[in-house]
Amino acid sequence: MDDEDGALAWKAPARLPAPVLAPPLPLEEHLVVADGEGTVRCLAAADGSAVWEARLGAPVVAPPVRVLDTVIVGDVAGTVHCLGAAAGEPVWRAHHGEREEFFALCSDGAAVYAGGWSGRLHLLDAADGASLQSFDLGGQILATACSPGGRSVHAASSGGTLHTLPAAAANSTAVR
C-alpha cells in the first residue's frame, strides 16, 4: 500500500504456485520469496512482476537473508543455498545431510548461522559457504537472530533454552 494515500501499490496480487511458509525478504527494489516447493522468486517491489526464479528442490520454511549482494536460503533437505541477488544465479551451496532441516537462518555479514531439526547451529562462511563451526544446542533450533552491530547471535531451541554466542563478525579468530 502507498503510505501517503493508502492506495494499493500492486494492481493485482502476485499468484504463486506454492504456499509461502516464511516471511519474504524486502530488498531496495525487489522482494525475495521462498516457497513450500523449494522455489525462490524475486519480484519487482513496484508491481509484483517476476524478476528471476531459482528452483532449489526442497521446501523452504526459514526466511531468506541478505548478505551484501547475495540472498541466502536454507531448505528442509539440509542445504544452505547462496544466490546472487540481481539474477538468482548460484554462488555456493553447503549440504549438511538428510537428517537436517533448516528452520532458522540469520547472518552477521561474515557468517551465516543455520539451525533446525538436528539441534546443531552451523556457522558457515558467508563468502563461500565453508563450515566454520557447529554447536549442539540440545534441541531443535526454532529461531535465530543476530544482534544489531553483529556482536552476538541468539538461538532458541525446542528445549526452552536461549543460547547466546559471540558473532563471527565480532570475533573472527574464534571461528576461523
Side-chain angles (χ1 to χ4, degrees):
M1 296 185 78
D2 186 307
D3 61 352
E4 290 184 24
D5 64 10
L8 292 177
W10 294 359
K11 305 238 184 282
R15 299 278 181 214
L16 303 173
V20 174
L21 305 173
L25 173 66
L27 303 175
E28 288 80 15
E29 301 293 324
H30 300 105
L31 186 67
V32 177
V33 180
D35 69 31
E37 290 184 354
T39 301
V40 179
R41 289 178 178 78
C42 180
L43 307 175
D47 61 8
S49 62
V51 176
W52 56 259
E53 179 178 296
R55 295 186 186 275
L56 306 181
V60 174
V61 297
V65 298
R66 181 179 188 177
V67 177
L68 301 173
D69 59 351
T70 65
V71 173
I72 300 176
V73 181
D75 66 30
V76 299
T79 303
V80 178
H81 306 262
C82 181
L83 307 169
E89 76 282 359
V91 176
W92 55 260
R93 283 175 20 129
H95 186 66
H96 291 280
E98 299 304 320
R99 295 192 60 222
E100 185 64 271
E101 295 181 24
F102 290 117
F103 305 148
L105 201 62
C106 70
S107 177
D108 62 13
V112 175
Y113 305 85
W117 184 260
S118 74
R120 295 202 71 78
L121 182 64
H122 301 276
L123 282 70
L124 308 172
D125 188 306
D128 62 10
S131 181
L132 299 174
Q133 250 179 327
S134 177
F135 298 98
D136 184 356
L137 300 185
Q140 296 170 354
I141 300 170
L142 304 175
T144 58
C146 292
S147 66
R151 299 176 65 83
S152 59
V153 176
H154 311 283
S157 68
S158 62
T161 56
L162 179 64
H163 304 268
T164 298
L165 307 163
N171 190 8
S172 61
T173 59
V175 294
R176 293 207 185 253

